[in-house]
Amino acid sequence: MKRYFSFILLFAGAALSLYISGCDDDPEKEDVPELVTKIKLTFTPVTGGSPVVVTAVDPDGEGPQDLTPDGSINLRENTTYQLSIELFNDLLNPGEEGYDLTEEIEEEADEHQFFFGFSSGVFSSPSGTGNIAPSTGSINYLDEDSNGRPLGLLTEWTTAGIQSGKSFRVVLKHQPGIKSATSTSADGETDVDVTFALSITGS
Amino acid sequence: MLFLIAVNAHAQPCSLKLSGAVRSDDGEWLAGTVVRINAQLFTTADESGRFIVENLCRGTYTVTLQFVGYKTKVEEVHLEKDTTLHFVLETDRAVLEEVFVHDHFQPLPETGSYKVLSGEQLIRNRGMALGELMRQASGINTLQTGPSVFKPVINGLHSQRLLLINNGVRHESQQWGAEHAPEIDPFFASDIVVITDASALQYGPEALGGVVLVSPAPLPEEPGWGGEFQSVLQSNGRGGVLSWMAEGGSKKHKGLGWRSQMSYKRLGDFHTPRYVLSNTGVKELNFSVATGMHREDKGWDIFFSHFQTELGILKGTSISSLEDLKQAMNREPPQYSTGFTYDIQNPRQQVQHNLLKLQGHRHVNKGDLILQYAFQHNNRKEYDLRRQSLNKLPAMDMDLFTQTLDACWKQHGRGALWYQAGINLLQQSNNNVPGTQRIPFIPNYNQYGAGIFLSADLNLNTWFINGSLRYDHRFFNVSGFDFANRSYTDQFNLGNTAVSVGVRRDVNRYVRISSNFGTTWRPPHVSELYSMGVHQSVAAIEYGLLLDRTTSTVIPFGQYNFHPERSLKWTTSVSVQNKNWRTEGTVYINYLTNFTYLRPEGVTRNIRGVYPYLRYVQTQALFTGMDWQGEWRVNPTLSFTTRLSLIRAEDRKNKDYLIYIPPNQYAFIIAWKNPNESKRLRFYAETYLRFTDRQRRAPRVITVDEILNAYEHGTDPLQGSDKIFDFMPAPDAYVLLGAEAGVALQLNGNKMELRLRGDNLLNTAYRDYTDRLRYYALETGRNIVLSVRYSF
């Protein structure tokens, strides 16, 4: 038995140190600048008047609940609007660090671009159905990146005549190293892809 | 009756040859004698009773010779030079010889079904990743993520359902991830044994699929030193591996030996028959040092190994919505494809694994006592294609620390009875390294485990009977962040039992049957309980078992009716051999209750678009299969081998198929070697044809377009059924042709080996069902490998 004793003692000692060496480190909370749960579209008439604002919110981020728009975009006929887009992480409180994510896109304008898709005939300018592949229409971009390529946080739209039941789709693409004069919405990774209902009403 | 005949005066560690001849005591040559080195099946004697085992390191070996009707012979052989032995087996007169097998480590169960990769077979395939290399054994498949990430699949199961034993230590890493390959350098291994039945309970309960033992050669015990250099160059990837090994034994201290080994791998972008796979390069540096003392009555070992890899993941797999996946599936070549480069960019993985093992053993009163402590550190960093400012931050960064303490006692009981008992303790903590700017995919956790096992072996003439029993307890302490980045914590306990019973019968000198029935369980992995998020290259969100179905908040473990996964596995092997024929077949039935897997549940829209989401659920699964190998030795120079591997897997509860189950495979090999083995110059040549069938039992297909259309029109994207689905049908069957030739030259105790191998010689363009990148790209094209090995 004596022969085993040193073995048992060694084992017990090692076992004890094993069990007390487990440290209970609580994880640190991460900032999550890539988590976008809300998009806000503001259509401001260039001739003045109250802006049209729509938002779409995803209540649980990666969770199974859907992103839902809070209503349709109701624009007036034959009016020119400037559209500005803002992105948020709505799981945080307004004012908290990381709540407003629009700036992040601005800072990396050279690898991001917004693309737009809409029902035929809803706008007199731009005409067509937008520039989301396979469509190849033009968009009135009002901003650009350092290489002079469009970004799309600010765009201009002139509505056509009265119509309803139309749609308006916004796609933000992340194109690191591949954003070019010829890159399209089929290139890169999707950061945002949201579709709103659109109607044009009488003035 | 043992005669030693010196053949060569110079020492050649790890290139030594042990040859021999076996006769019966009445002078008859015993063709088909099973020759084992250190209890592993190495070879059988040919028609003239002769055998050769090559590529042995210097050291002491236990040579076991078994032939039905004769007493099993066990000899200790000190190998210092090429050696030829003559054995005489005595007729067994029903008196059981008391045999003490002086083999302290990793005894293989006498009754088990196992496959061995060793010696020449391992050396020939060096340069491959561990998983890829294991595929060379019949019945072992892989789950692949591109050309450099291979996970072994045994009997259809992988990841946390396999136990990897790296030099006697449970390999602990982030095995849960389908794209996380084992961090083990095949260059240090002298043999890989895969136990496919439930008999190896001494290693832990989790081996629902099997146990993989990766072991180095025993350390040299005799004075002197030797070593080897090897270089492997390959055309596909335009790179290769350089490795060296040195080892020796002490003159001053009897039984004291050491070994040091290093390998460096560098590969650039792989290519398919049609295009370059951009960003698939590899950079890998591994080394290990070992020293140990082995004497008759006691010994100790210290081992340290370091594994470090950086590997690129095909850039075209960077997608973040179903729309992106649709684009990727239709592109050829994949997005971001450029010319060949050695650069490794995002997405990429950086993984490090360190292992320190201390072991002591003692031989007392016909018994062995082994005490082993091991410390492992695993760090895994995964980089995604992210916004500029985040690109240099890993998206996933985890430190996993594991300590294991094992005590094992093996005792020779009365007569032909052996007992074995042991305790395994485990302490593990997983820490997400702060600074990823992402909600961690899995939480931090601490895990404490304690297991106890008992086993008994009985050898009655031609019968071998084995029984094992094991109980394990686990405690988890979990702390993480949910979808809204709010913290949660939980603690829980789990405990359960495993049992195995096995029988082997040597029917006559040609036929052996073994059968094992066992039931074992595994504690859940934290990832199965708490996962939340999107995996690299998979356009789907995964939710763990404990996430609430509507609110996605984390449910306390105690409130969830959790039952651990358990397998009931029955494995039977039959081997038949005579002087020209050898055939071995294994059939298994594995019924898994509470089988935990990812099941599609619906489609959700978040800001990036539409995603299917999968949730870990539990079901009853049935895996059945057969591995068969037949070899016909036409004459001493020419042989034909046929292999087949069949697997059927089904979800019994939902009457459904399972995904990523390896399709049926058939291989045909013709091998030729020059007949005069003793010559200084030896040649061999081999050619193979491998046929991989289409997976005919693949889940239904729902295309990306169908999902998007259904979502748009408000209909059910899963088409009114919750059966699992795939975005793409299973790829077509394919045939690969390969060939290999080699020459070995002996000069004054130095050995030079030259090998040339070609894989996918016809440059076949194909996709593999078990490659997770099959949605994006073809498999690699023709690859020519040149290997030079020099040992002294």
Side-chain angles (χ1 to χ4, degrees), chain B residues 499-567:
Chain B
V499 184
S500 153
V501 182
V503 176
R504 194 188 90 204
R505 170 91 208 278
D506 295 341
V507 179
N508 55 39
R509 67 173 62 179
Y510 308 115
V511 181
R512 163 181 293 179
I513 301 171
S514 67
S515 190
N516 174 283
F517 179 80
T519 171
T520 185
W521 70 294
R522 69 179 177 92
H525 192 277
V526 159
S527 70
E528 294 166 310
L529 301 176
Y530 299 100
S531 278
M532 166 96 199
V534 184
H535 248 296
Q536 246 177 13
S537 77
V538 185
I541 310 175
E542 296 174 11
Y543 302 134
L545 270 171
L546 295 182
L547 301 191
D548 187 277
R549 275 167 196 268
T550 50
T551 64
S552 290
T553 49
V554 174
I555 306 167
F557 186 85
Q559 287 174 27
Y560 186 89
N561 187 22
F562 180 83
H563 298 283
E565 191 172 309
R566 174 171 283 284
S567 84

Side-chain angles (χ1 to χ4, degrees), chain A residues 21 34 62 67 186 190 193, chain B residues 320 324 331 386 403 543 607:
Chain A
S21 64
E34 291 157 312
E62 300 274 38
L67 171 92
T190 308
D193 184 351
Chain B
S320 60
D324 294 358
R331 271 176 207 269
R386 301 171 86 182
Q403 297 184 85
Y543 302 134
I607 202 87

Side-chain angles (χ1 to χ4, degrees), chain B residues 570-585:
Chain B
W570 181 54
T571 310
T572 297
S573 296
V574 179
S575 83
V576 181
Q577 54 186 346
N578 68 11
K579 67 180 195 182
N580 292 111
W581 291 90
R582 179 155 46 158
T583 163
E584 187 165 347

Side-chain angles (χ1 to χ4, degrees), chain A residues 19 21 23-24 27 29-31 34 58 62-64 66-67 108 111 173-174 186 188 190-193, chain B residues 320 324 331 335 386-389 403 435 437-438 446 449 479 485 543 550 552 604-608 711:
Chain A
Y19 273 66
S21 64
C23 49
D24 289 303
K29 189 170 186 151
E30 294 280 350
D31 294 331
E34 291 157 312
D58 184 355
E62 300 274 38
D66 277 351
L67 171 92
E108 289 173 11
E111 50 183 57
K173 281 285 179 169
H174 181 213
T190 308
D191 277 354
V192 169
D193 184 351
Chain B
S320 60
D324 294 358
R331 271 176 207 269
Q335 189 160 216
R386 301 171 86 182
R387 279 185 214 147
Q388 231 163 42
S389 56
Q403 297 184 85
Q437 309 252 311
R438 281 241 175 121
N446 277 303
S479 173
N485 214 3
Y543 302 134
T550 50
S552 290
T604 178
R605 174 180 274 282
N606 66 27
I607 202 87
R608 293 192 306 274
Y711 190 82

